[in-house]
Amino acid sequence: MAQPSPVLDERARPTTDSRLRVVLLLDVQDGAQQRFLDAYERMRYQVSAVPGHLMDQLCQSTEDPLRWLITSEWEAAEPFLTWLDSPEHREVVRPLSSCVRDTRSLRFTVFRETFGTQSVDSALPPRERNGSAHPVALGPGPDGITRHALTFSVKPGSEQTVAGILAGYTSPAAKVDDTTRLVRTSLFMRGNQVVRSVEVVGDLVAALRHVAAQPEVRAVEEAINPYLEQARDLSDPLSARDFFLRAALPAVHHHARAERPAQEPGRYAFSYPARPGCGAAIAEYLSRQDETAVHDPASPLVRSTVFQREDRVVRLVDLTAPPQTDPAAALGVTAPRAGAVLARLLRSAPDLRDDGGRRAALADWELTPITDRRSPQA
């Protein structure tokens, strides 16, 4: 019996690698269709020459001629994210972005495919395929809350001014729509570095868009613009997108007690000085310590979220005792030898095996709280 013809040639067949599919939804400005098509024509061959790029498609909606879809496929997430963070990417897409009103980018790893009578699955289950440099953010936790953080730096000498601006704004409306609402926003600083964490029930992207559109928030963002180390223009979609990509600090681990504590815990944040290439290992190690601690009735740890991108690691904790009272729990090193193991992953860490060294680490790593706001329904 003759063998069936192959559906695709060997170069296009799926492999067990974690290929990435990127979906970009665009609403083109009325009257800018031809400029948009010309810009795409100029950029598509530049993009196809990027190492790791496999293919892309441009599609037009059958219902709305101003709505377009660009899909691209990559050998893995890493080459795409490396290109996304590069200055070359910003220059290539700038002409395209000037033609659109709104964009939304979605990313998917290819998990399962069917080719005629054959199917191919990736070698690893979802979330286990990601490289340490670009972790995938967690979905909602057991409490239904999704957590995310942004971090950015301000010009040295402007810290007090920026802290005053960020502490004094009026909170935006918590309700986004019938299924999405803001739960809590916590803002910290350490030196000239700002860390802002948000907690959302429902659609995180919808909540972030909602916050960015609120006049109270827009006024604050405009007020701090002159003090940022890297300039941005949030009225320019490309500049805004670049800023949020650079500033994103995804939540990669979260643990919490099942029962509500008898007393309201305090919220604290710590930034861990990772050795080059050790960010993911630190995040994973802290997660294992916190998972054990939240099941220990004697531990002051109520809740822990680890945010990590490349070698930037920030741990947000809710504690029923001040950090100086139990520095081991505050830093996530309660298990025997945990301090020694963690210290090997850090730059210039004090001795984390005793409380003296742990308190020294607290003084160096703890972030200063600026504001902590909760919606009335939280």
Side-chain angles (χ1 to χ4, degrees):
M1 179 181 295
Q3 294 296 317
S5 299
V7 178
L8 297 173
D9 67 45
E10 288 303 319
R11 290 173 301 170
R13 283 187 181 279
T15 70
T16 54
D17 293 333
S18 56
R19 286 182 295 120
L20 180 76
R21 184 156 297 150
V22 180
V23 178
L24 185 63
L25 297 167
L26 308 102
D27 289 331
V28 176
Q29 298 171 8
D30 196 9
Q33 294 273 59
Q34 192 56 51
R35 280 199 300 121
F36 170 76
L37 291 172
D38 291 344
Y40 176 78
E41 188 65 22
R42 288 192 299 271
M43 69 171 277
R44 63 176 176 146
Y45 294 110
Q46 294 173 275
V47 177
S48 69
V50 175
H53 178 273
L54 297 176
M55 57 82 69
D56 66 65
Q57 291 180 319
L58 175 66
C59 309
Q60 186 179 29
S61 169
T62 58
E63 299 173 347
D64 182 354
L66 294 178
R67 176 155 291 182
W68 293 78
L69 171 72
I70 298 176
T71 65
S72 62
E73 192 163 313
W74 299 75
E75 291 176 353
E78 196 64 29
F80 168 75
L81 294 167
T82 299
W83 178 67
L84 189 69
D85 288 341
S86 70
E88 292 79 13
H89 167 261
R90 291 190 282 275
E91 289 305 312
V92 166
V93 302
R94 188 176 300 278
L96 195 73
S97 67
S98 67
C99 307
V100 301
R101 292 195 311 270
D102 192 23
T103 64
R104 184 180 181 189
S105 179
L106 305 171
R107 302 168 198 170
F108 303 87
T109 51
V110 178
F111 179 58
R112 179 168 294 162
E113 294 180 292
T114 303
F115 291 82
T117 60
Q118 300 181 11
S119 66
V120 178
D121 287 0
S122 61
L124 298 174
R127 295 197 187 282
E128 293 183 15
R129 298 191 295 268
N130 304 290
S132 61
H134 296 281
V136 171
L138 291 176
D143 51 8
I145 294 175
T146 301
R147 294 164 174 85
H148 189 67
L150 298 172
T151 182
F152 53 90
S153 55
V154 298
K155 295 174 182 176
S158 68
E159 293 88 350
Q160 291 300 316
T161 301
V162 171
I165 294 171
L166 294 174
Y169 72 96
T170 303
S171 298
K175 182 177 179 180
V176 178
D177 54 37
D178 291 340
T179 60
T180 301
R181 62 181 172 85
L182 300 172
V183 176
R184 189 169 183 175
T185 300
S186 304
L187 202 144
F188 299 85
M189 292 183 69
R190 178 69 183 176
N192 69 331
Q193 198 71 29
V194 178
V195 175
R196 176 192 291 158
S197 75
V198 293
E199 300 180 6
V200 172
V201 169
D203 187 335
L204 175 65
V205 173
L208 295 177
R209 286 174 180 265
H210 164 80
V211 170
Q214 300 305 299
E216 305 94 337
V217 175
R218 293 181 71 89
V220 170
E221 299 293 350
E222 290 296 330
I224 66 172
N225 272 347
Y227 305 107
L228 298 180
E229 281 200 318
Q230 286 188 284
R232 67 180 184 184
D233 178 4
L234 296 183
S235 64
D236 174 3
L238 181 60
S239 178
R241 180 171 173 270
D242 285 345
F243 168 75
F244 287 111
L245 285 172
R246 290 194 308 268
L249 194 60
V252 294
H253 299 288
H254 177 72
H255 300 288
R257 288 188 191 175
E259 70 281 0
R260 191 180 183 90
Q263 63 186 97
E264 184 64 25
R267 174 155 286 192
Y268 308 90
F270 306 95
S271 179
Y272 293 77
R275 289 182 182 274
C278 292
I282 292 170
E284 181 66 31
Y285 192 74
L286 292 171
S287 173
R288 291 201 299 269
Q289 303 307 306
D290 288 342
E291 185 175 17
T292 300
V294 296
H295 293 99
D296 179 3
S299 173
L301 184 68
V302 174
R303 197 175 294 110
S304 165
T305 303
V306 180
F307 301 93
Q308 179 247 330
R309 179 175 178 175
E310 298 178 345
D311 287 334
R312 177 156 293 172
V313 181
V314 172
R315 180 167 158 271
L316 187 71
V317 295
D318 292 346
L319 302 169
T320 55
Q324 294 289 339
T325 302
D326 192 340
L331 292 174
V333 290
T334 52
R337 298 185 64 252
V341 174
L342 182 62
R344 290 199 293 269
L345 301 172
L346 299 169
R347 289 183 285 106
S348 304
D351 189 342
L352 300 178
R353 294 172 296 180
D354 62 72
D355 280 352
R358 294 165 187 157
R359 290 192 175 97
L362 287 176
D364 288 340
W365 304 345
E366 186 173 0
L367 280 68
T368 301
I370 303 300
T371 182
D372 184 29
R373 301 171 183 232
R374 285 186 261 193
S375 68
Q377 296 81 22

